Amino acid sequence: NAGVTQTPKFQVLKTGQSMTLQCAQDMNHEYMSWYRQDPGMGLRLIHYSVGAGITDQGEVPNGYNVSRSTTEDFPLRLLSAAPSQTSVYFCASSRQGLAGELFFGEGSRLTVL
Amino acid sequence: GNSVTQMEGPVTLSEEAFLTINCTYTATGYPSLFWYVQYPGEGLQLLLKATKADDKGSNKGFEATYRKETTSFHLEKGSVQVSDSAVYFCALSDRGGANNLFFGTGTRLTVIP
């Protein structure tokens, strides 16, 4: 019953450091996405993928990279972390054709000092 | 463009009180509408949805009706419980092809015994 699994759950970085947030799903979903959640702003889409080898930008893509080499995995990379990237990050997945019925991971809280 | 506006929180109610959380939207085309719930320390979960005008979504005693004429999707529950304490997000789905969701800012509900 794993669903969507995110790691790590918590991370503290210094400005300029790089890191990767991992996301894996075991439901064979074609669609995967990354959101960030900030107080008073709801969730905002960073990047998404409609299948292996296909990625696209969302609303707030700057400072983040993604790749989708397999159906199961969709890592989010921060190449040079900035304090503005302090946030809670959520990975989500769904089957194509079920627009909006997303399954979310438990979130990764990132603090950039 | 697509956007969702929901009532500011936080909302505090006594157990068995009636709940309304307002949500209005702006969209191009004919979106699907959703309510997601986030319990403390968890990711978001789909609570209910409606895919076309006049549809009513319902789940766990919560209801919301897709009103195209007022571009609204207000969430209601006749008698809230302490276990309903959570953050509620209204969202709409862009039917352009990808399963992207546009979220409101969230409304925190606290139910006191």
Side-chain angles (χ1 to χ4, degrees), chain A:
Chain A
N1 245 24
V4 178
T5 303
Q6 290 182 233
T7 55
K9 286 188 167 40
F10 300 94
Q11 183 72 50
V12 179
L13 291 178
K14 294 181 179 178
T15 297
Q17 288 184 318
S18 63
M19 77 157 299
T20 299
L21 298 176
Q22 301 290 347
C23 176
Q25 52 91 8
D26 61 359
M27 297 172 282
N28 202 31
H29 286 168
E30 299 94 340
Y31 176 87
M32 296 185 74
S33 56
W34 278 100
Y35 286 86
R36 59 177 290 173
Q37 182 181 28
D38 301 295
M41 300 191 74
L43 278 79
R44 293 179 292 168
L45 181 66
I46 304 172
H47 285 284
Y48 66 96
S49 169
V50 298
I54 306 169
T55 63
D56 207 345
Q57 296 181 351
E59 184 183 355
V60 288
N62 292 342
Y64 307 95
N65 281 350
V66 292
S67 60
R68 184 90 180 273
S69 56
T70 67
T71 299
E72 294 79 17
D73 299 302
F74 191 46
L76 179 72
R77 297 183 184 85
L78 287 72
L79 297 180
S80 179
S84 60
Q85 294 179 302
T86 294
S87 187
V88 180
Y89 292 85
F90 288 98
C91 181
S93 73
S94 74
R95 283 197 285 133
Q96 281 295 88
L98 289 180
E101 292 194 41
L102 298 180
F103 292 79
F104 282 83
E106 294 183 350
S108 299
R109 183 176 294 275
L110 174 66
T111 301
V112 182
L113 303 176

